[in-house]
Amino acid sequence: MQFIVVAPSQPQVAAIAKSIFDEFKNFCAEDDMKFLTLPDFYDNCNYFERRISKLGFKNFERNYNRNLILELEKLCENFKPDFILVLNGMNIPVQIQKFLAQYKIILWLWDSMKNSPRLQNFVNCAAKIFCFEYDDIKYLREKYNLDAQYLPLGADTKIFSPVENMARDIDISFIGTASKLRIKLLEKVCARALKENWAVKIGGHFYDSKHFWKKYLFDLKNSALAKFLDNRYYSPDEAANLYRRSKICLNINTVQHKSLSPRTFEICATKSFQLMNGGQFSNGLMNLETDIATFDGAEDLIDKISFYLANDNLREKIALAGYNSVTKNCTLKNSVEKIFTRLKND
């Protein structure tokens, strides 16, 4: 069984894609696999090309995608894959989708189909679909008459693992990208942190740091949060280390996601205590009453932070329960094994 793994090139997802490829080495020979990233046009074009394309003149973008197709075509002709595993897929241009459609496609969605307009036609070309969002199973069946299997992105335990006796010198941490809900809640947490002298570390892209005025506007609107924000991409290794150092790891899920995010599993895999907003569904993977703690709204979040910072033993008990559940059910190796077993048996 020979296959190609096609993945996006953005740093925050390319690292996960590479970890998935490495996990496949546990189940098949490395010579039977190829790994290819598809760099997005907008991540590689110059300012002029970007502006022209945004105005509707797509020649630069089409030529760029044609070159990617030539690279794919050469790889497929030489390697002759039995199938192509497309990871995420939501940013794959339609030109490239049409080329991929001539092969057996296995699609692993990393976002809700409802947020992926580019995939509305491509899903019909997939021989098998694995879903990040549990609700997509029903959505794909009702709208497209397609069957799908729920498969979350588990934790890469080669990276997200505990380090015994590591000092928890940070009271509260959060890593993620900006959203209205996250900014609102984190601003309130940081304002309280200034009064209580809590040690806080916030990481992730919240504004475009290339433009000084965006930092100025962000700082003006979110003065407390700005004091604790490290506005940059965190590598998986950096994220894991921050979780290990934190007494409380915040996990604020966006409103459109109801299934557990990779961050949920990654925090638990480091044997760290997690405080997550309510409304998520574990779909049988974890016990959300024992493995993590949840909050409902800004006031409850502040109250829960104060309570758990004062109760070390309870935090450690919950963190251990979460660690045991994730390492048993929710690792990246578990997810890859499910894909491999399904494909092998078909």
Side-chain angles (χ1 to χ4, degrees):
M1 184 170 67
Q2 295 193 148
F3 62 95
I4 298 171
V5 177
V6 173
S9 64
Q10 290 83 357
Q12 61 269 32
V13 290
I16 299 174
K18 187 61 170 62
S19 292
I20 288 171
F21 183 77
D22 289 341
E23 288 295 348
F24 268 108
K25 296 174 186 177
N26 294 310
F27 306 102
C28 50
E30 189 169 355
D31 289 343
D32 293 334
M33 307 180 292
K34 296 292 182 183
F35 182 78
L36 181 67
T37 58
L38 293 178
D40 187 82
F41 169 75
Y42 288 101
D43 292 331
N44 291 275
C45 63
N46 59 40
Y47 176 81
F48 173 75
E49 292 170 337
R50 179 188 294 268
R51 293 301 303 165
I52 287 292
S53 187
K54 291 286 188 182
L55 290 171
F57 300 96
K58 300 292 185 179
N59 286 344
F60 288 112
E61 187 174 354
R62 279 193 290 267
N63 289 336
Y64 179 88
N65 290 331
R66 283 194 197 103
N67 289 331
L68 287 180
I69 290 172
L70 289 174
E71 184 180 355
L72 262 171
E73 189 173 36
K74 183 178 179 180
L75 176 61
C76 291
E77 284 179 357
N78 293 332
F79 190 62
K80 295 180 174 54
D82 295 304
F83 66 88
I84 297 177
L85 173 61
V86 177
L87 301 177
N88 195 18
M90 65 179 298
N91 292 323
I92 295 179
V94 174
Q95 280 177 275
I96 297 175
Q97 289 178 19
K98 289 178 179 178
F99 171 82
L100 291 172
Q102 65 187 296
Y103 295 91
K104 181 179 180 180
I105 297 298
I106 311 301
L107 180 61
W108 190 358
L109 297 170
W110 291 1
D111 202 343
S112 172
M113 269 298 298
K114 299 167 188 175
N115 301 329
S116 309
R118 274 188 177 178
L119 291 177
Q120 300 299 320
N121 292 320
F122 190 52
V123 289
N124 290 301
C125 304
K128 289 181 178 58
I129 303 172
F130 297 93
C131 292
F132 168 90
E133 278 288 328
Y134 191 84
D135 286 349
D136 275 355
I137 297 174
K138 180 180 178 182
Y139 178 79
L140 286 164
R141 185 179 298 120
E142 291 180 348
K143 185 167 182 177
Y144 297 95
N145 196 30
L146 295 171
D147 291 327
Q149 180 178 338
Y150 174 58
L151 190 68
L153 277 166
D156 182 356
T157 53
K158 295 185 183 72
I159 298 172
F160 296 93
S161 58
V163 174
E164 298 302 328
N165 301 317
M166 191 168 191
R168 301 273 182 183
D169 59 332
I170 296 171
D171 292 318
I172 308 153
S173 69
F174 173 82
I175 297 176
T177 54
S179 71
K180 288 182 179 180
L181 175 63
R182 287 170 175 170
I183 291 174
K184 177 184 176 181
L185 292 173
L186 290 172
E187 175 67 14
K188 291 183 180 296
V189 169
C190 292
R192 184 63 173 268
L194 291 171
K195 295 179 181 179
E196 302 289 344
N197 201 29
W198 292 336
V200 178
K201 185 81 168 180
I202 312 294
H205 277 134
F206 279 65
Y207 55 83
D208 188 348
S209 56
K210 295 177 183 177
H211 307 294
F212 73 89
W213 63 88
K214 292 194 175 183
K215 178 182 185 327
Y216 173 78
L217 291 174
F218 183 88
D219 292 358
L220 188 65
K221 294 178 181 178
N222 311 282
S223 58
L225 171 56
K227 290 179 172 62
F228 299 101
L229 176 62
D230 185 11
N231 185 60
R232 63 180 178 85
Y233 164 70
Y234 270 55
S235 71
D237 288 308
E238 289 178 305
N241 197 51
L242 182 57
Y243 297 151
R244 295 183 192 109
R245 293 174 56 197
S246 303
K247 295 175 184 175
I248 296 177
C249 299
L250 295 181
N251 183 5
I252 306 170
N253 294 282
T254 54
V255 293
Q256 64 265 36
H257 291 305
K258 296 302 180 185
S259 296
L260 297 181
S261 66
R263 185 177 294 106
T264 308
F265 308 130
E266 291 166 354
I267 292 170
C268 288
T270 63
K271 205 184 287 186
S272 299
F273 172 81
Q274 180 171 178
L275 183 55
M276 183 176 76
N277 55 327
Q280 310 304 304
F281 299 96
S282 73
N283 304 303
L285 295 173
M286 300 178 68
N287 186 336
L288 299 187
E289 294 183 358
T290 60
D291 297 345
I292 63 173
T294 60
F295 68 89
D296 183 18
E299 290 186 11
D300 189 44
L301 172 58
I302 300 297
D303 290 343
K304 292 281 177 65
I305 288 173
S306 299
F307 173 77
Y308 284 111
L309 284 177
N311 288 274
D312 295 352
N313 291 338
L314 181 56
R315 286 200 321 271
E316 291 174 6
K317 179 181 177 181
I318 295 171
L320 178 59
Y323 171 78
N324 289 335
S325 289
V326 164
T327 52
K328 180 180 178 181
N329 301 317
C330 312
T331 66
L332 203 59
K333 186 177 180 180
N334 294 149
S335 297
V336 169
E337 184 175 12
K338 287 177 182 176
I339 290 180
F340 185 79
T341 301
R342 177 79 182 271
L343 295 174
K344 186 178 179 181
N345 292 338
D346 284 351

